[in-house]
Amino acid sequence: MSLQALISRRQRALFDAWVQNPLVQVQVEHPEALGPLVFLNGFDEEVETERAGRRSLKNVAIVSKPGNPDRNASVWVRAGYGSYQKAWLGFVHQVYGIKATSIDLAGYNIDHLLNKARSPNKAGFIRVEAINDAVNQAWGGLFERAASNPEFSANRNRLRRTMSWIIAAKLMDQPPPRGPGDQQGIARLVQFFNRNGLAADDPQRGLTEMLEFAYRFR
């Protein structure tokens, strides 16, 4: 299996999990909280939180349970930890037995699903995944820069954060709209979410509200 195929499978597995349960976590306060929060409906004695190679649990943690690792294994890093790309590559080797290097990641960024600037004092543990490079940079330069404003109380206080419309779009290679007034860009995302089982959740409203909230200080 190629690394690109693995990345696509993991992206789809996480997206599908979010479609089924909007409380999918992307940040927690400590590795000890990972098991019960990652496996909300399936936490049991088989869930393990372990070190990634020789890395300290103070910086990197792998949470997993038996079964398909696309759905049942993930790697989390402290927001202030710098070597998160190496941590993800180590996770892939440890869990899938695939040895890869940064060269194999051409076209992808290993990045925090929640912008690390939105973690209070960079203390939270954030899930990291491979994201399309161009899409990741586009979201980072627009929405995430606005959403990371310290004026938002959540960026100063909340250490538990769940997946959002924006994170899901980025994960699934969907470029951002230019802002809350870009009706064509928002409509494109709404169409994507409608096609993927979320029409009943009103993606038009969800996306518009998130964009308007993030851009209100700009």
Side-chain angles (χ1 to χ4, degrees), residues 141-170:
L142 292 171
F143 173 82
E144 289 185 351
R145 182 177 298 175
S148 299
N149 193 312
E151 292 289 334
F152 297 129
S153 62
N155 293 341
R156 301 192 304 270
N157 301 304
R158 284 178 56 192
L159 283 167
R160 291 187 180 182
R161 305 289 282 269
T162 55
M163 198 158 152
S164 67
W165 296 101
I166 305 304
I167 294 171
K170 182 173 72 169

Short mmCIF file of all heavy atoms in Angstrom, two decimals, residues 141-170:
data_model
loop_
_atom_site.label_atom_id
_atom_site.label_comp_id
_atom_site.label_asym_id
_atom_site.label_seq_id
_atom_site.Cartn_x
_atom_site.Cartn_y
_atom_site.Cartn_z
N GLY A 141 -4.06 30.55 5.35
CA GLY A 141 -3.90 31.96 5.04
C GLY A 141 -5.19 32.76 5.13
O GLY A 141 -5.15 33.99 5.14
N LEU A 142 -6.32 32.08 5.21
CA LEU A 142 -7.61 32.78 5.25
C LEU A 142 -8.31 32.54 6.59
O LEU A 142 -8.10 33.26 7.55
CB LEU A 142 -8.48 32.33 4.08
CG LEU A 142 -7.97 32.76 2.70
CD1 LEU A 142 -8.76 32.07 1.60
CD2 LEU A 142 -8.09 34.27 2.55
N PHE A 143 -9.09 31.48 6.66
CA PHE A 143 -9.92 31.26 7.85
C PHE A 143 -9.10 31.09 9.12
O PHE A 143 -9.39 31.70 10.15
CB PHE A 143 -10.80 30.03 7.64
CG PHE A 143 -11.56 29.63 8.87
CD1 PHE A 143 -12.74 30.28 9.21
CD2 PHE A 143 -11.09 28.63 9.70
CE1 PHE A 143 -13.43 29.93 10.37
CE2 PHE A 143 -11.78 28.27 10.85
CZ PHE A 143 -12.96 28.92 11.18
N GLU A 144 -8.07 30.25 9.09
CA GLU A 144 -7.37 29.92 10.33
C GLU A 144 -6.65 31.12 10.92
O GLU A 144 -6.55 31.26 12.14
CB GLU A 144 -6.40 28.76 10.10
CG GLU A 144 -7.13 27.44 9.88
CD GLU A 144 -6.19 26.26 9.76
OE1 GLU A 144 -4.97 26.47 9.68
OE2 GLU A 144 -6.70 25.13 9.75
N ARG A 145 -6.16 31.99 10.07
CA ARG A 145 -5.51 33.19 10.59
C ARG A 145 -6.53 34.04 11.35
O ARG A 145 -6.23 34.59 12.42
CB ARG A 145 -4.90 33.99 9.45
CG ARG A 145 -4.17 35.25 9.90
CD ARG A 145 -3.53 35.96 8.72
NE ARG A 145 -2.53 35.12 8.08
CZ ARG A 145 -1.88 35.46 6.97
NH1 ARG A 145 -2.15 36.62 6.38
NH2 ARG A 145 -0.97 34.67 6.45
N ALA A 146 -7.73 34.14 10.80
CA ALA A 146 -8.78 34.91 11.48
C ALA A 146 -9.26 34.20 12.74
O ALA A 146 -9.44 34.83 13.79
CB ALA A 146 -9.95 35.14 10.52
N ALA A 147 -9.44 32.88 12.66
CA ALA A 147 -9.99 32.12 13.79
C ALA A 147 -9.02 32.03 14.96
O ALA A 147 -9.43 31.71 16.07
CB ALA A 147 -10.38 30.72 13.32
N SER A 148 -7.74 32.29 14.71
CA SER A 148 -6.74 32.19 15.78
C SER A 148 -6.62 33.46 16.60
O SER A 148 -5.78 33.54 17.50
CB SER A 148 -5.37 31.84 15.17
OG SER A 148 -5.42 30.59 14.52
N ASN A 149 -7.45 34.44 16.32
CA ASN A 149 -7.41 35.70 17.05
C ASN A 149 -7.56 35.45 18.55
O ASN A 149 -8.51 34.79 18.98
CB ASN A 149 -8.53 36.61 16.56
CG ASN A 149 -8.37 38.05 17.02
OD1 ASN A 149 -8.12 38.30 18.20
ND2 ASN A 149 -8.53 38.98 16.10
N PRO A 150 -6.65 35.96 19.38
CA PRO A 150 -6.76 35.73 20.83
C PRO A 150 -7.96 36.40 21.47
O PRO A 150 -8.26 36.15 22.64
CB PRO A 150 -5.44 36.31 21.37
CG PRO A 150 -4.99 37.28 20.33
CD PRO A 150 -5.44 36.70 19.02
N GLU A 151 -8.67 37.25 20.71
CA GLU A 151 -9.89 37.86 21.25
C GLU A 151 -10.97 36.82 21.52
O GLU A 151 -11.85 37.03 22.34
CB GLU A 151 -10.43 38.91 20.27
CG GLU A 151 -9.55 40.14 20.12
CD GLU A 151 -9.56 41.01 21.36
OE1 GLU A 151 -10.56 40.97 22.10
OE2 GLU A 151 -8.57 41.72 21.59
N PHE A 152 -10.90 35.68 20.82
CA PHE A 152 -11.89 34.63 21.04
C PHE A 152 -11.59 33.92 22.36
O PHE A 152 -10.49 33.38 22.55
CB PHE A 152 -11.89 33.62 19.89
CG PHE A 152 -12.27 34.22 18.56
CD1 PHE A 152 -11.48 34.02 17.45
CD2 PHE A 152 -13.43 34.97 18.43
CE1 PHE A 152 -11.83 34.56 16.22
CE2 PHE A 152 -13.78 35.52 17.21
CZ PHE A 152 -12.98 35.32 16.10
N SER A 153 -12.56 33.86 23.24
CA SER A 153 -12.33 33.27 24.56
C SER A 153 -11.94 31.80 24.47
O SER A 153 -11.16 31.31 25.29
CB SER A 153 -13.57 33.43 25.44
OG SER A 153 -14.68 32.74 24.88
N ALA A 154 -12.48 31.09 23.46
CA ALA A 154 -12.15 29.66 23.33
C ALA A 154 -10.66 29.45 23.11
O ALA A 154 -10.08 28.46 23.57
CB ALA A 154 -12.94 29.04 22.19
N ASN A 155 -10.02 30.39 22.40
CA ASN A 155 -8.58 30.26 22.14
C ASN A 155 -7.75 30.50 23.40
O ASN A 155 -6.57 30.16 23.43
CB ASN A 155 -8.15 31.24 21.05
CG ASN A 155 -8.75 30.89 19.70
OD1 ASN A 155 -9.19 29.77 19.48
ND2 ASN A 155 -8.78 31.85 18.79
N ARG A 156 -8.35 31.07 24.41
CA ARG A 156 -7.65 31.31 25.67
C ARG A 156 -7.98 30.28 26.73
O ARG A 156 -7.21 30.11 27.67
CB ARG A 156 -7.99 32.71 26.21
CG ARG A 156 -7.64 33.86 25.29
CD ARG A 156 -7.73 35.20 26.02
NE ARG A 156 -9.03 35.41 26.63
CZ ARG A 156 -10.06 36.00 26.01
NH1 ARG A 156 -9.92 36.42 24.75
NH2 ARG A 156 -11.21 36.18 26.63
N ASN A 157 -9.13 29.60 26.57
CA ASN A 157 -9.61 28.79 27.69
C ASN A 157 -9.95 27.34 27.38
O ASN A 157 -9.85 26.50 28.27
CB ASN A 157 -10.87 29.45 28.28
CG ASN A 157 -10.61 30.86 28.77
OD1 ASN A 157 -9.73 31.08 29.59
ND2 ASN A 157 -11.36 31.83 28.24
N ARG A 158 -10.36 27.02 26.17
CA ARG A 158 -10.91 25.68 25.90
C ARG A 158 -9.83 24.71 25.44
O ARG A 158 -9.20 24.92 24.41
CB ARG A 158 -12.01 25.76 24.85
CG ARG A 158 -13.32 26.29 25.37
CD ARG A 158 -14.36 26.39 24.28
NE ARG A 158 -14.58 25.11 23.62
CZ ARG A 158 -15.26 24.98 22.49
NH1 ARG A 158 -15.78 26.04 21.90
NH2 ARG A 158 -15.43 23.79 21.95
N LEU A 159 -9.66 23.64 26.19
CA LEU A 159 -8.69 22.61 25.84
C LEU A 159 -9.34 21.38 25.21
O LEU A 159 -8.64 20.47 24.79
CB LEU A 159 -7.89 22.20 27.08
CG LEU A 159 -6.80 23.20 27.48
CD1 LEU A 159 -6.27 22.89 28.87
CD2 LEU A 159 -5.66 23.19 26.47
N ARG A 160 -10.66 21.37 25.16
CA ARG A 160 -11.35 20.30 24.44
C ARG A 160 -12.08 20.93 23.26
O ARG A 160 -12.92 21.81 23.43
CB ARG A 160 -12.35 19.57 25.35
CG ARG A 160 -11.68 18.75 26.43
CD ARG A 160 -12.67 17.91 27.22
NE ARG A 160 -12.00 17.14 28.26
CZ ARG A 160 -12.61 16.29 29.07
NH1 ARG A 160 -13.92 16.09 28.96
NH2 ARG A 160 -11.92 15.63 29.99
N ARG A 161 -11.74 20.45 22.06
CA ARG A 161 -12.36 20.99 20.85
C ARG A 161 -12.76 19.84 19.94
O ARG A 161 -12.05 18.83 19.84
CB ARG A 161 -11.39 21.93 20.11
CG ARG A 161 -10.83 23.06 20.95
CD ARG A 161 -11.87 24.12 21.26
NE ARG A 161 -12.11 25.00 20.14
CZ ARG A 161 -11.44 26.14 19.93
NH1 ARG A 161 -10.49 26.53 20.78
NH2 ARG A 161 -11.72 26.90 18.90
N THR A 162 -13.87 20.00 19.27
CA THR A 162 -14.36 18.97 18.36
C THR A 162 -14.17 19.39 16.91
O THR A 162 -13.93 20.56 16.60
CB THR A 162 -15.85 18.67 18.62
OG1 THR A 162 -16.59 19.89 18.53
CG2 THR A 162 -16.05 18.05 19.99
N MET A 163 -14.31 18.43 16.03
CA MET A 163 -14.16 18.67 14.60
C MET A 163 -15.28 19.60 14.12
O MET A 163 -16.38 19.61 14.67
CB MET A 163 -14.21 17.33 13.87
CG MET A 163 -13.64 17.36 12.47
SD MET A 163 -13.18 15.68 11.99
CE MET A 163 -13.37 15.78 10.22
N SER A 164 -14.99 20.37 13.08
CA SER A 164 -15.93 21.37 12.58
C SER A 164 -16.10 21.23 11.07
O SER A 164 -15.40 20.46 10.41
CB SER A 164 -15.41 22.77 12.90
OG SER A 164 -14.22 23.03 12.15
N TRP A 165 -17.04 22.01 10.54
CA TRP A 165 -17.22 22.05 9.09
C TRP A 165 -15.91 22.43 8.40
O TRP A 165 -15.56 21.86 7.36
CB TRP A 165 -18.28 23.09 8.72
CG TRP A 165 -19.66 22.80 9.22
CD1 TRP A 165 -20.27 23.36 10.31
CD2 TRP A 165 -20.60 21.88 8.66
NE1 TRP A 165 -21.54 22.84 10.45
CE2 TRP A 165 -21.77 21.94 9.45
CE3 TRP A 165 -20.57 21.01 7.56
CZ2 TRP A 165 -22.90 21.16 9.18
CZ3 TRP A 165 -21.69 20.24 7.29
CH2 TRP A 165 -22.84 20.32 8.09
N ILE A 166 -15.21 23.37 8.97
CA ILE A 166 -13.98 23.86 8.35
C ILE A 166 -12.90 22.79 8.36
O ILE A 166 -12.22 22.56 7.35
CB ILE A 166 -13.49 25.12 9.10
CG1 ILE A 166 -14.59 26.19 9.15
CG2 ILE A 166 -12.22 25.65 8.47
CD1 ILE A 166 -15.15 26.61 7.83
N ILE A 167 -12.72 22.13 9.49
CA ILE A 167 -11.71 21.07 9.59
C ILE A 167 -12.06 19.93 8.64
O ILE A 167 -11.18 19.38 7.96
CB ILE A 167 -11.60 20.56 11.04
CG1 ILE A 167 -11.04 21.67 11.94
CG2 ILE A 167 -10.72 19.32 11.12
CD1 ILE A 167 -11.08 21.35 13.42
N ALA A 168 -13.34 19.58 8.57
CA ALA A 168 -13.76 18.50 7.68
C ALA A 168 -13.49 18.85 6.22
O ALA A 168 -13.05 18.00 5.44
CB ALA A 168 -15.24 18.20 7.89
N ALA A 169 -13.76 20.09 5.84
CA ALA A 169 -13.51 20.51 4.46
C ALA A 169 -12.02 20.43 4.13
O ALA A 169 -11.64 19.92 3.07
CB ALA A 169 -14.03 21.94 4.26
N LYS A 170 -11.19 20.93 5.03
CA LYS A 170 -9.74 20.88 4.81
C LYS A 170 -9.26 19.44 4.70
O LYS A 170 -8.46 19.11 3.82
CB LYS A 170 -9.04 21.61 5.95
CG LYS A 170 -7.53 21.67 5.81
CD LYS A 170 -6.90 22.54 6.90
CE LYS A 170 -6.93 21.89 8.25
NZ LYS A 170 -6.10 22.62 9.24
#
